[in-house]
Amino acid sequence: QVQLVESGGGSVQAGGSLRLSCVVSGSISSIDGTAWYRQAPGKQRDMVASMGSGRTYYADSVKGRFTISRDNVKNTVYLQMNSLKPEDTAVYHCNVRLAGVWYRKGDDWGQGTQVTVSS
């Protein structure tokens, strides 16, 4: 079992920054990838950033503004978000890949952390 707890969201004005954190606990020895997703009201959940197997991915909408990182000592995954735009408003969730399989699936991913960007 793996537990993922997100934090760091909030309300900011356009152009501002936030850093999201995801503390990972449990059976973490087999983690070979991490990712951040977001879901805006009425829209599907989309991956915005991921890292693993020596590769990093960013959705086109966040390239150059968001940075994903991982602190293996603290078992924490971060998403640094700069130059935030109103369209970044969403609930953000993290996910981990265990031996090639993403841990979180389906519709219910828990509370996540809300990011609200005002213009």
Side-chain angles (χ1 to χ4, degrees):
Q1 279 285 22
V2 172
Q3 294 80 44
L4 306 172
V5 179
E6 300 93 343
S7 64
S11 297
V12 296
Q13 290 190 327
S17 298
L18 285 172
R19 188 177 77 157
L20 306 185
S21 299
C22 172
V23 177
V24 184
S25 59
S27 302
I28 62 175
S29 60
S30 59
I31 291 177
D32 58 21
T34 58
W36 284 93
Y37 292 73
R38 69 186 181 188
Q39 186 170 25
K43 296 188 177 181
Q44 69 178 20
R45 183 181 297 113
D46 292 322
M47 180 186 287
V48 296
S50 69
M51 63 185 300
S53 302
R55 298 178 180 179
T56 304
Y57 160 82
Y58 294 97
D60 288 342
S61 59
V62 307
K63 276 181 183 176
R65 301 187 299 121
F66 289 12
T67 303
I68 186 172
S69 62
R70 178 179 172 183
D71 186 328
N72 291 329
V73 174
K74 295 182 178 180
N75 293 329
T76 303
V77 183
Y78 300 100
L79 185 68
Q80 178 66 44
M81 306 187 296
N82 299 327
S83 302
L84 282 162
K85 303 176 180 180
E87 50 264 43
D88 295 319
T89 295
V91 176
Y92 286 71
H93 287 94
C94 63
N95 201 359
V96 295
R97 192 173 62 210
L98 306 171
V101 179
W102 289 103
Y103 178 71
R104 276 174 161 164
K105 302 181 181 66
D107 295 330
D108 186 6
W109 283 28
Q111 185 174 354
T113 188
Q114 174 71 48
V115 172
T116 303
V117 184
S118 58
S119 57

